[in-house]
Amino acid sequence: MSDTSAASTNAHHLTTPNTVVSTSKAAARIRVAAAEAFAENGYGGTTTRDIAARLGLSPAAMYPHYKSKEELLFAISYEGHLKCVELLTEADEPGAAPTARLVSVVSAFTSWQATHHVRGMVVQYELTALSPEHYREILTLRREISRIIERIIREGAQDGSFVVPDVAGVNLAINSLCVDVCRWFPGGGFTDPDAVADLYAELALRLVGATR
Amino acid sequence: MSDTSAASTNAHHLTTPNTVVSTSKAAARIRVAAAEAFAENGYGGTTTRDIAARLGLSPAAMYPHYKSKEELLFAISYEGHLKCVELLTEADEPGAAPTARLVSVVSAFTSWQATHHVRGMVVQYELTALSPEHYREILTLRREISRIIERIIREGAQDGSFVVPDVAGVNLAINSLCVDVCRWFPGGGFTDPDAVADLYAELALRLVGATR
């Protein structure tokens, strides 16, 4: 329980100091247009002029909101990662059994990656374009996501709900499965995020060796 | 057995009509330089001039080998996918038990993705930049890879080695796990491709519900 409270506090703390994800409607529109441009042409193949043009703006009109393409990428990435931290924190039910908690968290994470797969691709695959400082901020959020799932696996292994030879390795695999959904979805016969979420919750239980 | 022979024939057939993966040393050097450039700056952020400059060549000197950036991307992607088809075909042992076959094939695929993670990222994440015709050729190879693994899962489910409620879904997950290695490796405490390969072979057995 104390561990979980720490996670909520962290998630809250992480929203406080960062003002790059502005709540203004204009800034939000710019982030959406930028994410679409990055998804279509790659970060390296997109200019701030391209992004402004999508909105019928001059590059100068965008400047008060975002000073550079990198700052925009960071804002999009930060927003996406923070949403996932919040989503998983909310999906986790610290009082419930590890099996129910894993199902809930993996379903939520999978469903998000499927629903937001275009933005997810940008968020996941352009990380190397971030400045070192911004990259570190994103890593903090990624570790938080990983920790939420790892905590459930560890608690399940401790109370006998799961049989896990390698908690860190299984956690890595579950995170990898969920994140990779944005690369292939829709595909493989799946067009409904909920259907993938149900399958992956079931497969996560297999990966942790749920005894039920 | 007949299914597996068909796979080998396909793999052989696929190498025959395609001359884009030239065996000349100059062409191979250009592919390596292009893959590095794409990995560092993205496909959209790279010009043929950048690639030529890495080799101290003029763009004109590159032209006899590759006429465009897209043709280079296709050659790199085709080469990577074909290597995987050959590798998995070789790793599969049609006479062996499904459990041993799955371990062998998943280990080989995982190890390749870890070892060639830089090229893997380019191969996996720039597919949308291919021309429709080239994209279709790559899809044919991807389906071949997927079929090799799916055939083992199906045969294991049939002979009682595996308990699989959804063969296609589990196959998708195993492919996804293996492919996503190139995104995060090295990482999560893993620096040795063989260690990830061992873990993932074990996890693939869990995903198929291996009864052993």
Side-chain angles (χ1 to χ4, degrees), chain A residues 165-181:
Chain A
D166 176 354
V167 171
V170 169
N171 181 47
L172 174 73
I174 291 176
N175 273 275
S176 170
L177 264 183
C178 294
V179 163
D180 194 47
V181 168

Side-chain angles (χ1 to χ4, degrees), chain A residues 9-177:
Chain A
T9 312
N10 278 348
H12 178 72
H13 168 74
L14 288 162
T15 58
T16 314
N18 200 294
T19 54
V20 80
V21 183
S22 158
T23 52
S24 93
K25 278 187 187 169
R29 265 201 305 274
I30 294 170
R31 290 197 300 278
V32 169
E36 286 171 1
F38 295 156
E40 281 172 32
N41 305 309
Y43 178 78
T46 304
T47 63
T48 49
R49 188 170 294 274
D50 297 334
I51 299 163
R54 280 176 184 251
L55 297 163
L57 296 176
S58 69
M62 222 165 70
Y63 191 79
H65 301 287
Y66 295 102
K67 306 275 176 279
S68 69
K69 191 171 73 158
E70 192 275 339
E71 201 175 280
L72 252 169
L73 178 65
F74 174 59
I76 293 164
S77 189
Y78 194 91
E79 186 180 29
H81 279 91
L82 186 63
K83 275 267 163 59
C84 284
V85 172
E86 290 170 348
L87 192 73
L88 298 206
T89 303
E90 200 182 321
D92 194 11
E93 302 161 57
T99 298
R101 290 171 66 190
L102 190 66
V103 165
S104 175
V105 164
V106 169
S107 297
F109 198 15
T110 303
S111 180
W112 195 90
Q113 294 287 350
T115 305
H116 304 280
H117 59 97
V118 173
R119 193 167 15 140
M121 278 287 278
V122 172
V123 164
Q124 296 302 332
Y125 302 114
E126 301 285 10
L127 286 179
T128 54
L130 292 172
S131 73
E133 189 196 333
H134 283 160
Y135 183 66
R136 276 195 298 275
E137 287 204 54
I138 299 297
L139 271 195
T140 305
L141 291 171
R142 290 173 84 85
R143 286 205 197 94
E144 191 51 47
I145 292 169
S146 172
R147 266 193 218 116
I148 292 170
I149 300 176
E150 183 158 0
R151 201 155 42 222
I152 298 171
I153 301 173
R154 182 156 287 124
E155 291 183 21
Q158 278 163 0
D159 80 358
S161 303
F162 306 153
V163 179
V164 192
D166 176 354
V167 171
V170 169
N171 181 47
L172 174 73
I174 291 176
N175 273 275
S176 170
L177 264 183

